[in-house]
Amino acid sequence: MDYFQAIVLAIVQGIVEFLPISSSAHLILVPELLGWDDQGLAFDVAVHVGTLVAVVAFLRKEISLIVPAWLTGWTNQKWDANGQIGWLIIIATIPVGLVGLAFKDYIELNLRSGLVIAGSTLVFGLLLGWADVNAKRNRKTIDSLDWKQTVIVGCAQALALIPGTSRSGITMTALLALGYTRTAAARFSFLMAVPAIALPGLLKGKELIEASTQTQWPILLTGASVSALVAFLCMNLFMRFVDRVGMMPFVIYRILLSIAIFVLLT
């Protein structure tokens, strides 16, 4: 891998990780369309570390309230509103963790094809569009979340293990369908991204260490830095217009992308 390839893939990762258009689909398709070799496990870990740094930086105020409140709650077994959000994030992460551990190998072997990506991009894009159209009168904020709704959102997040689904897209879809505002849906989806990115990153990091392959540190650091910067900028831009514009531009993009993939494959 050279620096140009690393920068292009890092930009792609940074743009699509937190937008409802599926990062896994783009990271699979872009190298195939450009005729590049697989970027490898080390680079995947690097760009995911970059996006993790970006989301932590973007949510630094919320995280600085949630983490201490959750830890403090253990002293008397009582958690305030911020501590309870911490619990909700944990609950929402359990389904994707269980499904990932149980079906990781099956997904890697059977669900990374172009047709699967095209189909899931289209189906879950249309579902996002339906939820967004019906979300114009939504008024619920994150404070309204309870554990039952969080389980639903967590189960929805587990579907994102199917390439083309989009983790942020499916979680925002679930939250919109449950009556939450676009801003609340986007922000809680970003909060859910912290463990959702960190835990697989740790597993991939373990695999990388065990593989003992030669590491191109300058290229990895470039990829991590570029993906972090681009992801941080994208989150800021997304939050500025999502409540006014909604999800329809992303729905249209997903429909066009799925059509393009089908055409290329047939």
Side-chain angles (χ1 to χ4, degrees), residues 10-83:
I11 291 173
V12 171
Q13 171 70 16
I15 292 173
V16 301
E17 178 65 39
F18 300 106
L19 299 182
I21 54 177
S22 179
S23 61
S24 60
H26 287 78
L27 287 179
I28 292 170
L29 292 171
V30 169
E32 288 189 5
L33 292 174
L34 296 178
W36 292 344
D37 293 332
D38 184 88
Q39 59 266 26
L41 178 62
F43 188 79
D44 282 348
V45 172
V47 293
H48 277 84
V49 168
T51 52
L52 178 61
V53 170
V55 72
V56 170
F58 182 77
L59 298 172
R60 59 192 180 279
K61 292 181 180 178
E62 289 94 331
I63 292 173
S64 67
L65 295 173
I66 293 170
V67 174
W70 184 80
L71 293 173
T72 302
W74 286 99
T75 58
N76 54 12
Q77 299 296 298
K78 292 183 180 180
W79 286 268
D80 63 13
N82 287 311

Side-chain angles (χ1 to χ4, degrees), residues 93-149:
T93 305
I94 293 173
V96 70
L98 294 176
V99 174
L101 290 173
F103 297 102
K104 177 179 179 294
D105 292 338
Y106 178 84
I107 292 169
E108 289 289 329
L109 293 173
N110 298 283
L111 299 182
R112 292 175 66 88
S113 70
L115 286 176
V116 170
I117 293 171
S120 57
T121 296
L122 177 61
V123 171
F124 291 108
L126 293 173
L127 192 60
L128 174 62
W130 168 81
D132 188 58
V133 168
N134 290 282
K136 294 179 180 179
R137 297 182 179 179
N138 288 3
R139 294 292 181 268
K140 291 183 181 179
T141 64
I142 293 177
D143 294 336
S144 303
L145 266 173
D146 58 30
W147 71 269
K148 293 180 182 178
Q149 293 176 332

Side-chain angles (χ1 to χ4, degrees), residues 181-249:
T181 66
R182 292 164 176 160
T183 300
R187 194 160 287 276
F188 192 71
S189 176
F190 290 168
L191 285 169
M192 291 171 64
V194 177
I197 296 173
L199 295 178
L202 288 173
L203 292 176
K204 287 185 177 181
K206 179 176 178 292
E207 293 177 18
L208 181 61
I209 293 171
E210 292 174 348
S212 300
T213 55
Q214 186 176 1
T215 304
Q216 298 176 296
W217 288 111
I219 288 180
L220 297 187
L221 289 172
T222 299
S225 301
V226 172
S227 65
L229 177 61
V230 174
F232 185 81
L233 293 174
C234 278
M235 282 187 286
N236 275 283
L237 291 172
F238 182 74
M239 290 303 298
R240 286 181 183 179
F241 77 82
V242 66
D243 196 45
R244 300 194 309 272
V245 178
M247 305 292 180
M248 291 311 296

